[in-house]
Amino acid sequence: MNSDGTYGHWIGGRWHEPAGAHYPVVNPATEETVGRAPEAGPADVDAAVRAAREAYEGWSRTSPAERAAILERIADVLASRSADLVPLLQQETGATIRVASSMQIPTAVDRFRRYARGALEPDTIPFAPQPVRTSPLAPGGLVNAAAVRRPLGVVACITSYNFPLVNLAGKVAPALAVGNTVVAKPAPQDPLTCLLLGGIMREAGLPDGVFNVITGSGAAAGEALVAHPGVDMISFTGSTAVGQAIARAAGASMKRTLMELGGKGAAIILEDAAPGVLRSAISAVGSTWAFHSGQICTAPTRVLVPRGRYEQVITALEQYARSLTVGDPVDNSTVVGPLITAGQRDRVEAYVAGAREQGARVVTGGARPDLKPGYYVAPTLLADVTPGMAVAQEEIFGPVVAALPYDSEDEAVGIANGTPYGLYDYVFGSDTARAWALAARLRSGNVGINTVQRHPETPFGGFKHSGIGRDGGSFGLHAYSELQAVVW
């Protein structure tokens, strides 16, 4: 970073001035410029991929122990820089200071430590010897074999804006652990902390060229990266529409893909939910408002309620929403901060206006808070929503909850499954065996029973338009490697 707040790309272990200009990265709460990120052109993308390609041979042949040691040191250096990085992360994301300090840097550190251990996990699956008969192909005998996990090559990691460093760490750490090299392209809205990760990795001893970062304000940089013949895999987190475009482009050259796309999570409250379970459900659904202003793909943005308990739940959710403080994210009392951009705020407001026109009841929220500057949306609860409404079908990515009544368990399952998405659903009921059985009927990659808490070792990914593939825990090692069968 230069003294005037401009950043370069991180390519081949050093700062690289962009071929083009710089663009402003704006604080969503103050609408002021935080810094200026580099605009990547085709030459910048090519330089980054070439650096990764040249570094691949050496890095892929390092021992697992060496890769583990470097990943552990990356975690150490990242943790030591937390005091400097948290303010920058908070400013460019607009996250509340509590989220920025407790769930951004610490989680990224945890992911590097997890895959330091992952680098040492066995990568070979042996098979029992198999007697085979002589054939025109070869003489018979006792044949031995093993399946070995091998690195893919150069991985392009394209990430979303909600948790820039955490999302990037979740891709880069397992990719490096199995011997790949990386070119990262963070979201245009908040790439600055991700650019600084390059220097942190170099300080930790990562060889030059193993990790590279390019940025751009629009789609051009990502499109050039996806199309580059030197890239072997695309790992993408973001919207389904962009994921579909990437998949089409990657398919032309048979690049491997990992797609973590949108969600439209349903929280199904069962009729037997006791008071304690119901409180958990209210808090869980309320996380759509209270956690990063609903800018989370796993958020339970739809709540499905037995008709006989519908108004009871609406009242409880209204009280919860009204209790949340909206405002300056650096104020410790703030729970709901701004959305990432003015455009995203306007998009969310348009969804609410459309729902009102279609007959939904705006129980709370629905009007822009009297807060300036900043891109704020009030926690909004929509009742009397029907399954066909846009707010019940499409990912909004803001602090908006749609409440739908149901009359039978079959109807609840039909509503939950009745969107193009299938990333994360939730079931709240006192009979957990019944909830477990219901989970099997949900076309969703993840189901939480009486909780929105995550388990770090589970496979993460979605059904339908919510993505392709799984990462997380040891599954992340499989996601960034290919199996090679060796027979002797």
Side-chain angles (χ1 to χ4, degrees), residues 42-54:
D44 301 311
V45 175
D46 183 64
V49 175
R50 287 181 182 277
R53 190 91 258 161
E54 291 169 6

Side-chain angles (χ1 to χ4, degrees), residues 231-436:
V231 171
D232 300 288
M233 177 183 175
I234 311 293
S235 177
F236 172 70
T237 297
S239 73
T240 295
V242 174
Q244 290 170 327
I246 289 174
R248 286 191 293 269
S253 54
M254 296 303 294
K255 291 180 173 67
R256 300 300 183 259
T257 60
L258 176 66
M259 298 285 181
E260 183 184 317
L261 307 178
K264 192 64 183 174
I268 302 175
I269 298 177
L270 298 178
E271 186 67 52
D272 71 351
V277 173
L278 188 59
R279 285 194 295 272
S280 295
I282 299 303
S283 177
V285 173
S287 70
T288 301
W289 303 312
F291 185 51
H292 208 16
S293 302
Q295 297 172 110
I296 302 294
C297 57
T298 59
T301 57
R302 295 178 294 157
V303 57
L304 281 50
V305 188
R307 194 171 299 275
R309 306 188 70 174
Y310 187 69
E311 290 303 330
Q312 174 193 6
V313 169
I314 292 295
T315 298
L317 286 171
E318 179 184 8
Q319 292 172 348
Y320 190 101
R322 291 185 183 278
S323 72
L324 303 175
T325 301
V326 183
D328 185 350
V330 299
D331 188 326
N332 282 326
S333 67
T334 295
V335 178
V336 184
L339 297 187
I340 190 69
T341 62
Q344 179 61 15
R345 176 197 60 196
D346 296 347
R347 179 176 178 272
V348 172
E349 290 179 340
Y351 270 109
V352 175
R356 182 187 281 113
E357 291 171 3
Q358 291 179 303
R361 171 166 45 114
V362 180
V363 177
T364 187
R368 184 177 298 184
D370 186 19
L371 296 168
K372 292 181 180 180
Y375 312 128
Y376 294 94
V377 172
T380 300
L381 174 61
L382 302 174
D384 304 337
V385 173
T386 58
M389 291 182 183
V391 291
Q393 287 289 318
E394 300 174 17
E395 185 177 43
I396 299 174
F397 228 59
V400 179
V401 171
L404 298 89
Y406 70 85
D407 294 305
S408 69
E409 190 173 290
D410 287 345
E411 183 185 8
V413 169
I415 294 171
N417 289 339
T419 77
Y421 300 102
L423 184 60
Y424 219 125
D425 288 334
Y426 307 85
V427 182
F428 292 88
S430 295
D431 184 343
T432 51
R434 178 186 176 193
W436 173 276

Side-chain angles (χ1 to χ4, degrees), residues 71-115:
L71 287 167
E72 190 69 44
R73 289 199 296 272
I74 291 170
D76 290 340
V77 177
L78 182 57
S80 72
R81 300 288 179 81
S82 180
D84 296 326
L85 293 175
V86 165
L88 176 61
L89 241 172
Q90 189 283 317
Q91 290 167 31
E92 63 175 338
T93 62
T96 63
I97 195 65
R98 288 187 293 180
V99 169
S101 60
S102 66
M103 297 192 69
Q104 296 270 16
I105 306 296
T107 304
V109 169
D110 288 346
R111 290 185 171 180
F112 280 108
R113 295 203 195 284
R114 168 62 183 87
Y115 290 106

